Amino acid sequence: MEPLIPVINKLQDVFNTVGADIIQLPQIVVVGTQSSGKSSVLESLVGRDILPRGTGIVTRRPLILQLVHIDPEDRRKTSEENESKKNGRLYRAIDGEEWGKFLHTKNKIYTDFEEIRSEIEAETDRISGNNKGVSDESIHLKIFSPHVVNLTLVDLPGITKLPVGDQPKDIEFQIKELIIKYISNPNSIILAVTAANTDMATSEALKVARDVDPDGRRTLAVVTKLDLMDAGTDAMDILMGRVIPVKLGIIGVVNRSQLDINQRKCVADAIRDEYAFLQKKYPSLTNRNGTKYLARTLNRLLMHHIRDCLPELKTRINVLSAQYQSLLNSYGEPVDDKNSMLLQLITKFAAEYCHTIEGTAKYIETTELCGGARICYIFHETFGRTLESVDPLGGLSTIDVLTAIRNATGPRPALFVPEVSFELLVKRQVKRLEEPSLRCVELVHEEMQRIIQHCSNYSTQELLRFPKLHDAIVEVVTALLRKRLPVTNEMVHNLVAIELAYINTKHPDFADACGLMNNNIEEQRRNRMRDLPSAVPRDKAVAGGSQSGQNVSEQTDSGMGNWRGMLKKGEEFAAGDRPAALYPLPAMQQKGYAVNLLDVPVPVSRKLSAREQRDCEVIERLIKSYFLIVRKNIQDSVPKAVMHFLVNHVKDSLQSELVGQLYKAALLDDLLTESEDMAQRRNEAADMLKALQKASQVIAEIRETHMW
């Protein structure tokens, strides 16, 4: 299992080349408070002094430290690590058995570890500044040595509570956010560092680790400064897990003191002194504590963790590869044949526009109606329900009907119900259907405008490469729709005008309605005859019946298109039974004053006579019957007109219109100019795809060698 860690190092190198953290690789994240001994633990694992020293916050950027074990006999880098070309020359073999490399310095090799420390300080100041602020931009360092085990460690800024000097006021929040970002990675192992001379129950490192790893499955505790505990106390209970149990274990270490560092005591001597201290103070626990045991434990835990994570890593890499391949395809290749490319894009847009209307588009909306589906909804739901909500007699009162009947008779008294009054009133009602019909055209026009944006966003992403071409296509299609709008409106206006031009009283549905109405009137006449009191003389009853028969006859004629009124005999009303005048005379006329012929009587509400009531009822029923016929015609003909004059016309002429307006030699270079960042995005996607493919090959090699 040992080769698994170098595999992760290879994957880390692959993704470092593209500067991406899209894959969460297994690594060990070191967490602790300031001055808890984090840096000393890391230097003990490396075996060299490589980290900056000082008071206060020293680590201000994440340091991703990869330890690579090499063969002690190998004094040269392998072909991958050692032989990189620069200016046509090969780097010479490295003198010495240990060296380091930074990602940001490319191929520069560091054999002086003091120089490595200085470079860390300089790079930290370059990004984080000199005000002791922190940054989440990481520093990548690889150490090659025969004295290390294969590990990937992340050193983070120490947890602090209060800002010092010119540190930002929210320094505590910034550091905790940075720590949470790294330890939230489910593929990471948390190395929680706590000093032995502090209360274990108040350990900030263990607390923050438990927040993201409540089960403790990936948390290992390290207790430092065992030699600095108060006299008469020891860390036996802590190391045995009796105070705070940690599932992966608790390992104690002894760090170099500041005096040792000032006197340049080497790490190897410090490890020997640590072993002697453990033998003396904790003889029964010596083999389970110390820096060397910590290194072996971390190596073992990381290997097992990598083994468990590899299947998920492989799946994640495959998914990302497919996504970046699709993204790269959408960016397209650099344009060689501009004529062909322009014609191809125009044709594809026109096809996708038509497919969206027909419901056969590749990208179908799932959140809302779009294209042809919305047009269908406008026709049959929005427009249909709007027409059905129009009252056939809306805005028409009984007085209006009676006034129209009287106006249609001119200066002569009304003997019949005039046809002109019916036509006048029914046209007024039919005219009300024009507004919702024109609104239907407007809604369909708006939806066809929305289809342009839909095709740009989902169907033809290649257009995003060429913003000028995209804008030109939108302009051409918008102009075509705008040109068809008045033509369609005119046709819909004509449909209503056609209905107003000729009132077809011979329409079969209208004749049936009139016949049914006559039957109802005849039935009412019989009921009146049956209900006559016995005291009424027979001749008057017969006369009344004859008169009623005459009424029925006249009403029957009205069903045939005349609608003659009911003829009333002079003796129909007795003097005391005459109804009040619809238009009452002015007071001066009633009292015998001179008549002012310029006075116009104003209609007032009053009870209608039986004849007036029947006349109005006849007209209202006829209006309603004929209005329903016309509404049915309009509800059927308007969608057909919109489809023919607007929708289908645009579909049929869209491509020819686009080609005629845009496919010109003078416009080629301008229309096919890519957006400024498109080339950069294409290169980044290509680099990322290559990195993912290389990572996939690395994992495939593991399976071939039966290591996984």
Side-chain angles (χ1 to χ4, degrees):
M1 296 297 296
E2 177 72 18
L4 282 179
I5 296 179
V7 167
I8 293 300
N9 290 340
K10 284 185 179 180
L11 293 177
Q12 185 71 59
D13 293 341
V14 167
F15 293 115
N16 285 345
T17 59
V18 292
D21 297 327
I22 59 174
I23 297 291
Q24 294 179 318
L25 297 174
Q27 54 192 6
I28 299 170
V29 182
V30 185
V31 180
T33 58
Q34 287 184 18
S35 304
S36 61
K38 293 190 301 86
S39 298
S40 296
V41 171
L42 288 174
E43 288 182 335
S44 297
L45 294 173
V46 177
R48 289 279 194 162
D49 294 334
I50 62 171
L51 299 177
R53 294 283 183 173
T55 58
I57 181 171
V58 177
T59 303
R60 296 186 288 128
R61 288 178 60 184
L63 174 64
I64 299 179
L65 180 61
Q66 293 177 260
L67 304 183
V68 181
H69 178 79
I70 59 174
D71 192 336
E73 286 79 21
D74 186 8
R75 295 296 180 265
R76 297 169 57 95
K77 292 181 69 180
T78 63
S79 59
E80 180 180 357
E81 300 292 349
N82 187 38
E83 296 182 358
S84 58
K85 291 186 178 181
K86 183 178 182 182
N87 297 329
R89 302 193 304 272
L90 290 174
Y91 282 105
R92 58 185 178 83
I94 296 175
D95 297 329
E97 61 180 9
E98 298 176 296
W99 64 89
K101 283 180 60 178
F102 285 98
L103 177 65
H104 64 273
T105 58
K106 304 301 180 184
N107 297 315
K108 183 176 180 180
I109 305 299
Y110 296 83
T111 56
D112 184 354
F113 284 84
E114 287 291 336
E115 190 178 359
I116 291 178
R117 177 191 295 174
S118 299
E119 181 61 31
I120 293 176
E121 293 176 346
E123 182 65 12
T124 299
D125 291 341
R126 185 178 68 85
I127 299 297
S128 302
N130 299 320
N131 65 342
K132 298 298 183 180
V134 297
S135 169
D136 62 351
E137 187 174 341
S138 59
I139 299 174
H140 293 261
L141 172 63
K142 293 181 73 172
I143 299 294
F144 301 85
S145 171
H147 307 300
V148 300
V149 295
N150 290 310
L151 288 175
T152 299
L153 302 153
V154 180
D155 185 24
L156 297 174
I159 301 172
T160 185
K161 290 294 184 183
L162 297 173
V164 178
D166 56 354
Q167 286 181 343
K169 294 182 179 181
D170 63 340
I171 187 68
E172 177 187 5
F173 176 78
Q174 291 185 27
I175 293 176
K176 282 195 174 181
E177 285 291 304
L178 183 58
I179 292 173
I180 292 296
K181 173 184 175 182
Y182 277 87
I183 65 177
S184 296
N185 173 10
N187 296 333
S188 66
I189 295 175
I190 304 172
L191 189 65
V193 179
T194 303
N197 56 357
T198 61
D199 188 353
M200 192 77 167
T202 62
S203 171
E204 288 287 338
L206 287 175
K207 179 181 181 299
V208 73
R210 185 167 294 180
D211 289 341
V212 298
D213 181 33
D215 298 331
R217 295 180 179 179
R218 51 188 185 92
T219 300
L220 175 68
V222 174
V223 178
T224 62
K225 304 182 181 181
L226 293 176
D227 56 331
L228 299 181
M229 298 187 69
D230 293 339
T233 62
D234 60 34
M236 184 65 71
D237 289 342
I238 295 176
L239 297 177
M240 295 295 291
R242 296 169 186 162
V243 179
I244 302 292
V246 180
K247 186 169 292 187
L248 294 184
I250 302 174
I251 299 176
V253 297
V254 177
N255 301 330
R256 290 179 298 170
S257 66
Q258 189 60 46
L259 179 62
D260 294 334
I261 295 173
N262 294 338
Q263 294 177 351
R264 295 187 175 276
K265 182 178 182 179
C266 67
V267 176
D269 293 341
I271 292 176
R272 283 194 295 269
D273 292 345
E274 175 191 53
Y275 181 77
F277 175 83
L278 292 174
Q279 283 280 22
K280 179 180 179 181
K281 293 286 293 183
Y282 306 96
S284 62
L285 301 179
T286 303
N287 294 332
R288 287 182 290 166
N289 291 277
T291 300
K292 289 187 176 181
Y293 179 76
L294 174 62
R296 293 195 302 269
T297 301
L298 290 175
N299 179 263
R300 174 177 55 82
L301 290 175
L302 187 57
M303 284 192 297
H304 287 288
H305 201 60
I306 292 171
R307 180 194 60 192
D308 296 338
C309 294
L310 275 178
E312 182 182 349
L313 282 176
K314 181 178 182 296
T315 302
R316 175 67 174 161
I317 289 173
N318 290 339
V319 170
L320 287 173
S321 296
Q323 292 176 351
Y324 273 91
Q325 182 64 63
S326 176
L327 183 62
L328 188 61
N329 292 340
S330 68
Y331 292 155
E333 297 294 333
V335 180
D336 295 327
D337 188 349
K338 292 187 176 182
N339 287 284
S340 175
M341 173 62 74
L342 180 58
L343 188 59
Q344 177 184 352
L345 291 176
I346 289 176
T347 303
K348 186 172 183 179
F349 179 88
E352 291 295 339
Y353 190 93
C354 296
H355 291 162
T356 303
I357 294 176
E358 295 166 358
T360 58
K362 182 178 179 181
Y363 299 91
I364 298 178
E365 280 281 359
T366 58
T367 57
E368 63 176 353
L369 293 179
C370 177
R374 180 174 285 273
I375 293 175
C376 179
Y377 183 87
I378 292 171
F379 286 156
H380 302 291
E381 297 294 332
T382 306
F383 178 59
R385 291 181 179 178
T386 302
L387 288 187
E388 291 173 1
S389 67
V390 178
D391 184 6
L393 300 175
L396 195 64
S397 66
T398 303
I399 296 298
D400 294 336
V401 176
L402 189 57
T403 302
I405 293 174
R406 291 196 168 188
N407 285 337
T409 61
R412 296 171 300 279
L415 297 178
F416 308 99
V417 178
E419 299 180 16
V420 177
S421 62
F422 165 73
E423 291 194 6
L424 175 67
L425 293 173
V426 81
K427 286 181 179 180
R428 170 180 166 181
Q429 298 306 103
V430 169
K431 183 69 175 176
R432 299 169 61 213
L433 298 176
E434 183 174 11
E435 182 180 351
S437 300
L438 294 176
R439 177 58 180 160
C440 176
V441 178
E442 183 181 351
L443 291 175
V444 174
H445 176 268
E446 291 175 358
E447 177 56 27
M448 296 191 71
Q449 192 73 35
R450 289 177 67 248
I451 296 176
I452 303 175
Q453 193 62 37
H454 172 82
C455 293
S456 301
N457 292 341
Y458 299 101
S459 304
T460 53
Q461 293 186 4
E462 292 93 336
L463 282 179
L464 300 180
R465 294 177 57 192
F466 312 107
K468 291 186 177 181
L469 175 60
H470 174 267
D471 294 343
I473 289 178
V474 171
E475 184 178 348
V476 171
V477 181
T478 301
L480 178 60
L481 290 172
R482 193 184 304 115
K483 183 171 65 175
R484 297 304 302 173
L485 184 59
V487 178
T488 310
N489 281 336
E490 180 66 21
M491 182 60 198
V492 171
H493 173 77
N494 288 337
L495 289 176
V496 179
I498 289 170
E499 296 291 347
L500 296 174
Y502 180 65
I503 305 301
N504 183 16
T505 57
K506 291 292 186 180
H507 193 285
D509 295 340
F510 186 65
D512 293 342
C514 291
L516 181 61
M517 183 182 63
N518 292 334
N519 292 336
N520 292 336
I521 294 175
E522 176 65 20
E523 182 66 24
Q524 292 174 6
R525 185 191 67 79
R526 293 196 186 104
N527 293 338
R528 287 197 302 271
M529 291 293 295
R530 185 173 59 250
D531 295 339
L532 283 175
S534 57
V536 178
R538 182 176 181 82
D539 57 346
K540 289 188 178 181
V542 172
S546 301
Q547 181 179 343
S548 299
Q550 178 66 22
N551 292 343
V552 173
S553 176
E554 292 172 356
Q555 292 297 336
T556 304
D557 290 342
S558 68
M560 303 304 292
N562 294 323
W563 313 296
R564 291 190 297 272
M566 309 305 173
L567 179 62
K568 296 295 182 180
K569 303 295 184 181
E571 62 273 13
E572 180 179 359
F573 297 104
D577 295 333
R578 292 186 180 275
L582 178 62
Y583 306 102
L585 294 175
M588 290 187 302
Q589 297 183 29
Q590 295 176 0
K591 296 182 179 180
Y593 290 101
V595 177
N596 184 358
L597 297 179
L598 297 180
D599 288 340
V600 179
V602 179
V604 295
S605 298
R606 49 90 172 167
K607 185 177 180 180
L608 301 181
S609 67
R611 177 182 174 180
E612 290 171 341
Q613 185 68 35
R614 285 196 302 271
D615 290 348
C616 292
E617 184 178 344
V618 168
I619 292 296
E620 288 176 354
R621 290 186 179 182
L622 292 175
I623 290 173
K624 184 174 181 180
S625 175
Y626 195 83
F627 180 87
L628 295 178
I629 295 172
V630 176
R631 186 173 72 181
K632 184 178 179 181
N633 293 341
I634 294 296
Q635 190 170 352
D636 178 65
S637 58
V638 167
K640 292 178 179 179
V642 174
M643 287 298 297
H644 176 72
F645 285 91
L646 180 61
V647 179
N648 290 342
H649 188 280
V650 171
K651 281 174 50 182
D652 296 340
S653 61
L654 179 59
Q655 181 165 351
S656 60
E657 189 77 14
L658 288 172
V659 172
Q661 295 286 339
L662 303 179
Y663 192 64
K664 300 176 181 178
L667 300 176
L668 279 178
D669 293 336
D670 186 51
L671 292 178
L672 294 182
T673 301
E674 287 188 323
S675 58
E676 296 179 357
D677 61 339
M678 182 57 65
Q680 179 182 352
R681 291 161 61 187
R682 184 191 298 111
N683 293 335
E684 291 175 352
D687 293 341
M688 182 59 69
L689 183 60
K690 290 179 182 178
L692 290 167
Q693 291 172 345
K694 189 173 182 180
S696 182
Q697 293 175 358
V698 171
I699 293 181
E701 292 173 1
I702 302 175
R703 303 192 66 173
E704 292 177 359
T705 54
H706 306 287
M707 290 187 294
W708 168 37

